[in-house]
Amino acid sequence: MTSPSTYDIIGIGIGPFNLGMAALLEPVEDVTSIFFDESAEFKWHPGMLIEGADLQVPFLADLVTFADPKSHYSFLNYLHEHNRMHKFFFFNRFDIPRSEYNHYAQWVADQLDHCHFGKRVTDVIDREEDGERFYEVVVEDREAKVTERYHAKHVVMGTGSIPLVPDGFDEFPVEDVVHTSQYLCHKEGLVKGNEDILIVGSGQSAAEVFLDLLQRQDTGGYHLHWITRSPGFFQLESGKVGQEVFSPDYVNYFHNLSFEKREEELPNLYHLRNGVEEKTLHEIYDLLYHKSIYPNTAPVTIRSASDVKTIEKTDEGRYNVTCHQWMEEADYHVEVDKMVLATGYKPNLPPWVEDMKEKLVWEDEKRFKVNRDYSLAFKEERPNKLFTVTNIEHSHGAGATNLGLAVHRNTTIINKVAGRDVYRESKNTVFQRFGTEKE
Ligand SMILES: Cc1cc2nc3c(=O)[nH]c(=O)nc-3n(C[C@H](O)[C@H](O)[C@H](O)COP(=O)(O)OP(=O)(O)OC[C@H]3O[C@@H](n4cnc5c(N)ncnc54)[C@H](O)[C@@H]3O)c2cc1C
């Protein structure tokens, strides 16, 4: 028998995905759980909580509503508890400010006693005692600097993503070459006393930073450069029928495809996942237009089809950036004081997953096989599941990091662990049929 303190679920990481899991588990008395996060408190992408930036999904994609609209932890109840319901009513929008989503999630995290911050999970060990298998989760308390050990029947890995910085660009001081994930921490240094600032990338984060710096350009007096490898600065596809790929039905369809077909399918959905919101692009263009009335007051250079290749520090303490225009097959140089890299993120896979490598089934060299219920596939079937809500794009499709599907994922996992339908699993949710499956 495992010790009585063995939890049914230990959640690693408390981003929105596992925070939603913790909120949904709170009223479920027969499933015990505990969650750990290495940060001191809940903060949702704090470096990008730019004033005016909105959540890219409707507020209904909160932490619980898709499973339980009556939950205490719904966004509407958050508004109610903060006496903001009327303001929200007159605000009359589905896309809430990103800062408000963060404040809402903090309100939820503050009420959940089984969510523990300042605790870094350093290892997950496969254990067996008296014929019972479990996971030993090793946790470092970051303040007390002590190591704690917890036992779990099942583990949910929700370690999120980490910044993707191109090779060679991580060798410079972060206040000069900053990834968007830390943009707001370094913004004051960016806007003061610089002649040239370069933004690299053309996704939503790049556009938001460009817009933010453009709005401050009059006081900052800098030249803004915006360069992307993409062939252009494109809008995110937002047609409603197209958006239905971010639904439980599509996840089922996608997961049933072969690995090769899934690989083929992901680029087909590129414009639904990459690009800039129409609203942000319009705001940028309108501001550029207004500023163009008085030439040279707001200098900008915008270039696409350009690979930013290398960066060198000059004797004057500036940066010489070499770019390759891949259509013309020609190099050019830009000299700047500061640079913001909007180069995206990659899944944050802890080292202990690598330690389990031999036991796991892999779809290719880098990607583990994930079952439909979000458990990792082990070569030897096991009752103790290691669920993941991180690094599942190849297995569950384009909505892998979408907040709108988080509750659906958590519902699947909770029902699996509980062995019953604690929450109703959504089926036939959209107008389309994705495969040949009968209605
Ligand atoms: C700027 C930005 C805006 C986004 N906006 C939207 C949006 O509007 N709509 C949408 O659908 N999606 C959006 N996304 C995508 C996605 O919803 C978010 O990335 C979301 O935060 C993912 O949640 P998560 O819980 O997987 O991971 P994260 O939010 O990345 O959280 C992971 C947590 O795990 C913790 N952690 C990691 N390793 C350990 C460890 N070893 N021990 C303990 N804790 C650990 C980290 O401290 C972190 O708190 C956005 C992404 C970004 C970067």
Side-chain angles (χ1 to χ4, degrees):
M1 282 287 288
T2 49
S3 78
S5 60
T6 301
Y7 291 93
D8 291 310
I9 293 179
I10 290 185
I12 304 173
I14 313 176
F17 294 176
N18 264 348
L19 181 61
M21 166 88 68
L24 287 172
L25 278 173
E26 199 211 37
V28 186
E29 284 172 6
D30 56 337
V31 180
T32 55
S33 63
I34 188 164
F35 292 77
F36 300 110
D37 197 288
E38 61 185 339
S39 316
E41 58 185 329
F42 183 93
K43 275 190 189 161
W44 187 57
H45 301 307
M48 281 300 286
L49 292 178
I50 297 175
E51 201 177 299
D54 293 326
L55 200 65
Q56 288 184 272
V57 286
F59 74 87
L60 289 172
D62 67 11
L63 298 164
V64 291
T65 292
F66 271 117
D68 182 10
K70 299 189 288 299
S71 166
H72 171 78
Y73 299 112
S74 71
F75 179 75
L76 287 180
N77 192 41
Y78 152 82
L79 289 174
H80 177 68
E81 293 277 314
H82 289 79
N83 193 23
R84 296 182 62 234
M85 197 67 102
H86 279 87
K87 288 180 183 133
F88 186 64
F89 175 72
F90 293 113
F91 182 61
N92 196 11
R93 280 169 51 174
F94 261 47
D95 52 343
I96 57 171
R98 204 182 287 152
S99 301
E100 187 175 34
Y101 178 81
N102 178 55
H103 190 245
Y104 152 69
Q106 283 175 336
W107 171 77
V108 175
D110 285 348
Q111 296 174 76
L112 297 174
D113 293 339
H114 54 317
C115 286
H116 298 267
F117 290 86
K119 307 258 188 188
R120 178 176 167 74
V121 173
T122 54
D123 208 354
V124 173
I125 307 160
D126 244 347
R127 291 280 307 271
E128 188 167 353
E129 258 172 35
D130 304 327
E132 198 82 26
R133 292 181 81 155
F134 59 95
Y135 297 104
E136 183 172 285
V137 177
V138 184
V139 178
E140 177 196 290
D141 185 305
R142 303 195 81 182
E143 209 177 280
K145 303 255 181 294
V146 291
T147 299
E148 301 158 356
R149 288 168 193 272
Y150 297 83
H151 293 179
K153 287 185 191 157
H154 312 283
V155 161
V156 184
M157 179 169 77
T159 45
S161 53
I162 45 174
L164 189 62
V165 177
D167 282 347
F169 286 76
D170 48 3
E171 292 161 14
F172 300 97
V174 64
E175 55 275 16
D176 288 351
V177 181
V178 52
H179 186 269
T180 47
S181 58
Q182 295 196 52
Y183 169 64
L184 286 184
C185 321
H186 298 285
K187 180 173 159 180
E188 284 315 305
L190 284 172
V191 296
K192 269 192 205 138
N194 294 305
E195 284 175 28
D196 293 87
I197 306 176
L198 166 62
I199 297 143
V200 181
S202 55
Q204 182 64 23
S205 293
E208 284 176 9
V209 168
F210 182 79
L211 176 61
D212 197 46
L213 291 176
L214 193 63
Q215 285 162 341
R216 293 281 299 267
Q217 202 181 20
D218 290 344
T219 42
Y222 40 77
H223 187 127
L224 266 186
H225 304 255
W226 189 9
I227 293 180
T228 183
R229 174 194 290 160
S230 303
F233 294 84
F234 298 124
Q235 194 173 308
L236 192 68
E237 166 63 46
S238 59
K240 292 179 188 176
V241 180
Q243 288 287 315
E244 286 192 344
V245 300
F246 301 114
S247 66
D249 297 80
Y250 182 81
V251 173
N252 279 335
Y253 162 74
F254 185 88
H255 190 269
N256 279 333
L257 299 174
S258 67
F259 179 61
E260 290 70 29
K261 287 289 176 198
R262 279 182 267 133
E263 284 284 279
E264 234 175 274
E265 172 71 339
L266 285 172
N268 294 338
L269 307 178
Y270 185 85
H271 293 293
L272 284 162
R273 309 162 61 213
N274 299 282
V276 183
E277 297 245 306
E278 183 186 15
K279 186 172 75 93
T280 318
L281 283 177
H282 283 190
E283 269 183 80
I284 288 174
Y285 206 88
D286 289 357
L287 190 52
L288 286 172
Y289 183 79
H290 279 262
K291 284 173 179 275
S292 72
I293 299 168
Y294 303 105
N296 301 326
T297 51
V300 295
T301 307
I302 303 176
R303 291 181 204 264
S304 59
S306 295
D307 253 324
V308 169
K309 280 177 22 182
T310 55
I311 174 171
E312 274 172 13
K313 198 151 190 173
T314 67
D315 294 342
E316 291 75 38
R318 287 172 40 103
Y319 293 94
N320 184 4
V321 182
T322 305
C323 306
H324 180 72
Q325 213 290 1
W326 50 262
M327 289 296 284
E328 291 180 352
E329 296 186 339
D331 285 355
Y332 63 92
H333 300 274
V334 189
E335 205 171 285
V336 299
D337 304 286
K338 304 275 178 184
M339 199 166 166
V340 183
L341 299 172
T343 43
Y345 294 81
K346 60 181 176 186
N348 179 15
L349 285 183
W352 44 263
V353 174
E354 187 67 21
D355 296 344
M356 293 187 184
K357 194 171 177 161
E358 295 307 314
K359 297 179 186 172
L360 293 168
V361 182
W362 294 81
E363 300 220 78
D364 70 359
E365 269 191 15
K366 287 196 174 143
R367 282 164 297 184
F368 40 54
K369 187 173 164 60
V370 191
N371 298 316
R372 177 63 193 86
D373 63 8
Y374 302 96
S375 61
L376 294 187
F378 279 86
K379 287 177 186 161
E380 253 181 59
E381 263 294 302
R382 54 171 67 193
N384 307 76
K385 303 293 178 192
L386 177 45
F387 297 99
T388 183
V389 288
T390 294
N391 197 29
I392 53 171
E393 184 183 88
H394 63 287
S395 57
H396 291 73
T401 57
N402 193 291
L403 291 172
L405 279 168
V407 170
H408 167 70
R409 287 188 281 266
N410 287 338
T411 296
T412 306
I413 296 171
I414 290 169
N415 289 350
K416 179 79 188 180
V417 170
R420 63 190 168 89
D421 281 354
V422 177
Y423 295 107
R424 194 176 71 207
E425 292 205 42
S426 312
K427 288 197 183 92
N428 296 329
T429 52
V430 291
F431 293 110
Q432 284 177 76
R433 290 287 163 269
F434 293 104
T436 53
E437 204 183 317
K438 287 206 180 96
E439 289 189 33

